[in-house]
């Protein structure tokens, strides 16, 4: 009778994958904290530029604390027209 060790082995790369996931999660949390410190969440975004500024601040994460202050000044999004 054979015993297979494959079901007791860990999948190779799972530790690295989970480490990357944790790093990305912490990166985004730091971005959320930076947005809160800049009072971006006090009121609902009124236009595309303020929504974009919140998004790029979160994505920038720790870079906000190294002097980066991302802002979206203007974004022109065409409103969809109703079908004829």
């Amino acid at each position: 009778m054979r015993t297979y060790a494959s079901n007791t082995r860990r999948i190779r790369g799972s530790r690295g994958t989970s480490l990357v996931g944790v790093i990305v999660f912490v990166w985004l949390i730091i971005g959320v904290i930076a947005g809160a410190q800049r009072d971006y969440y006090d009121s609902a975004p009124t236009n595309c530029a303020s929504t974009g500024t919140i998004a790029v601040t979160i994505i920038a994460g720790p870079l906000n604390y190294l002097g980066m202050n991302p802002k979206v000044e203007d974004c022109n999004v065409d409103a969809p027209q109703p079908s004829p």
Side-chain angles (χ1 to χ4, degrees), residues 28 30-36 38-61 64 69-72:
L28 295 176
I30 292 171
V32 168
I33 292 168
R38 293 178 180 165
D39 298 324
Y40 288 161
Y41 312 126
D42 286 345
S43 61
T46 57
N47 58 21
C48 176
S50 58
T51 303
T53 299
I54 291 170
V56 296
T57 299
I58 292 172
I59 292 169
N64 290 293
N69 188 11
K71 291 192 184 256
V72 176

Side-chain angles (χ1 to χ4, degrees), residues 5-82:
S6 63
N7 57 357
T8 60
R9 289 185 197 164
R10 294 182 73 182
I11 298 173
R12 202 176 271 282
S14 66
R15 174 178 272 174
T17 304
S18 64
L19 180 63
V20 170
V22 168
I23 290 172
V24 168
F25 181 73
V26 170
W27 182 280
L28 295 176
I29 292 298
I30 292 171
V32 168
I33 292 168
Q37 289 177 342
R38 293 178 180 165
D39 298 324
Y40 288 161
Y41 312 126
D42 286 345
S43 61
T46 57
N47 58 21
C48 176
S50 58
T51 303
T53 299
I54 291 170
V56 296
T57 299
I58 292 172
I59 292 169
L63 298 177
N64 290 293
Y65 296 105
L66 296 176
M68 186 175 182
N69 188 11
K71 291 192 184 256
V72 176
E73 296 295 327
D74 187 27
C75 58
N76 298 320
V77 178
D78 294 330
Q81 300 297 322

